[in-house]
Amino acid sequence: MIHTLLVANRGEIACRIFRTCRDLGITTVAVYSDVDADALHVREADLAVRLPGAAPSDTYLRGDLVVAAARAAGADAVHPGYGFLSENAAFAAAVQDAGLVWVGPPVKAIELMASKTRAKELMAGAGVPLLAPVDPATAGPEDLPLLLKAAAGGGGRGMRIVRELGALPGELLAAAAEAASAFGDGEVFAEPYVERGRHVEVQVMADAHDTVWALGTRDCSLQRRHQKVVEEAPAPGLDDGLRDRLHEAAVAAARAVGYRGAGTVEFLVSAEGRPYFLEMNTRLQVEHPVTEAVFGLDLVALQLRVAEGEPLSAPEPPQPSGHAVEARLYAEDPARDWQPQTGALHTLEVPEGPGLRLDTGYTGGDTIGVHYDPMIAKVIAHAPTRTEAVRLLARALERARIHGPVTNRDLLVRSLRHPDFAAARLDTGFYDRHLAELTAPGADRDAATAALAATLAEALRGPEAVRPTHPGGPAPARFGAWRNVPSQPQRKRYRSEPDGTEHEVAYRTPRTGVPEPHETPGTRVLNATPDRVTLEVEGVARHFTITTHGDRVHVDATDASYTFTALPRFTDPATHAAPGSLLAPMPGTVVRLAEGLAAGATVEAGQPLIWLEAMKMEHRILAPASGTLTALHAAPGHQVEVGALLAVVQEDPAATPVPVPVPEETA
């Protein structure tokens, strides 16, 4: 029996595992880095052990420190969660060598699946359908497009799509460098890239008594940077024959490596319905809640049961019921190349109710830092049908109150309501085709009305405000508060975040003390307080809740949420950067510079100059114009804040004009 469990992880997955442990009466132990000292997973654990440092390489990736922490806390078992050391065979062996129970698959199974190239060879012998590998050295035009992948890892790191043979050598070098940085192994392989393929996976659960369950399918095709954003179970639109083939192949893969515990076998399904094995993840997946919802199971509880040597409850899994959809809420700006965001998360409130579930590692008041993945939470909806589950999830996200860094919440809502998603026309190129329309400013929202509500609330909040004695009633008199000639209206300016649209709102404050909109026909104030405003817009009453944090104003309506920055009346000229300045688009670490880059160097427009790593992703900073590099303030290893000046390029007026590039991520 497991009595005390250490979770060798952080954030949402640690909190998720602790929840099951509480239900089972198991004492929980957290580990934490210095920047996570007050993190939610630390607050929720029964015991916690510090891992000195901040970077993952010094803390959560130090298997020796984690094992020592387990022994110091008196734990008798270790659960790796996902990411970090979860698929590290050496760590699993070290846990067992220390006399602790490893809540995961056998070390041998992890080793066999650790390399994608070796895993594919093994799966071929087990009869699992595969894409034939391509030797980059002999690749020809008929082999294009190609997909380059890191042999030792996933999550999009080291992955490149190659559509031109001339680009292949450079992309191989870049993919190998990124793979070596991320996984300590620069091996890269190539395989055909399947256009409009679907990412479909099968959850397996196996015990030590020769029982292997195939727990249905999941579709994870909506991805950004080769990382999943929206997942659902069961995968829609698959015929029974294809489902059976996927289940059989997943079970065969598990049996081929003597698997035990929870694992996932991932496939690429072509537009013609042909499945191809991608990889086997020898751990719990981020998207496991949709399978739990459909099958009525707790996969973490089953992992613990199997780790204790107990059999699964029956030879066959329970019957599934209904449909579940999960959306990953990230602190990132999809409209700006998916740039990760950081800062204080003032409020995180997601509606509760039947069929809804929230898995998160944050609460309001926490801070989203630069060291880890920018995922804030997972929101899951379960309903009898796919249509109902999608509708429930979209509405829950729409009504959520999220105050802090820019998030992908609006993108998620629009994605779930997109005609292609509603019709289950899914493939991994969804965002390549639809991102522009899904992130268009002002789409299906009335930011101007929300800015008006913010202005009226601000007018009632300021020190000069005249408070009515009761809503809609006359204001108390004060000396000098009345004049017998009309005054000019007051004006307030806001900038919508993150799209940058500016709004100017005019209003007057009459003797009633309740401010009224000016130059806004068809709109009248029904009620107004410093934190809640009700407006009637063309005969329809709309309610707005207003929350202010510094110069940021958050306006939550019943059908959308808005974030504004209150603008001063006059702009400070010092805030403008000099032409040609390359500013850090996010906080992060400079990992490398272009070869030979130094002040005085000649650069071409669009040339990658600086590589910046932030929140597990690598971003390229490109030259904004052709000319001369007149200043360089970045060096490998430098930590930079958002907006930091990295370099300056003086444009050559004689250069041929080209479109100005934008910074792009490369993972």
Side-chain angles (χ1 to χ4, degrees), residues 64 71 97 102 120 142 246 286 345 379 398 418 528 537:
D64 57 333
R71 301 182 73 169
D97 289 345
W102 168 250
K120 285 176 177 289
E142 68 281 0
L246 292 172
V286 180
L345 180 65
V379 186
E398 186 175 59
H418 192 278
V537 183

Side-chain angles (χ1 to χ4, degrees), residues 7 9-12 14-15 18 30-33 36 38-48 60 361:
V7 176
N9 220 293
R10 64 176 301 278
E12 171 268 324
C15 294
F18 292 162
V31 288
Y32 64 93
S33 66
D36 272 346
D38 194 40
L40 182 62
H41 77 279
V42 179
R43 305 196 301 265
E44 289 199 346
D46 297 312
L47 304 168
Y60 298 107

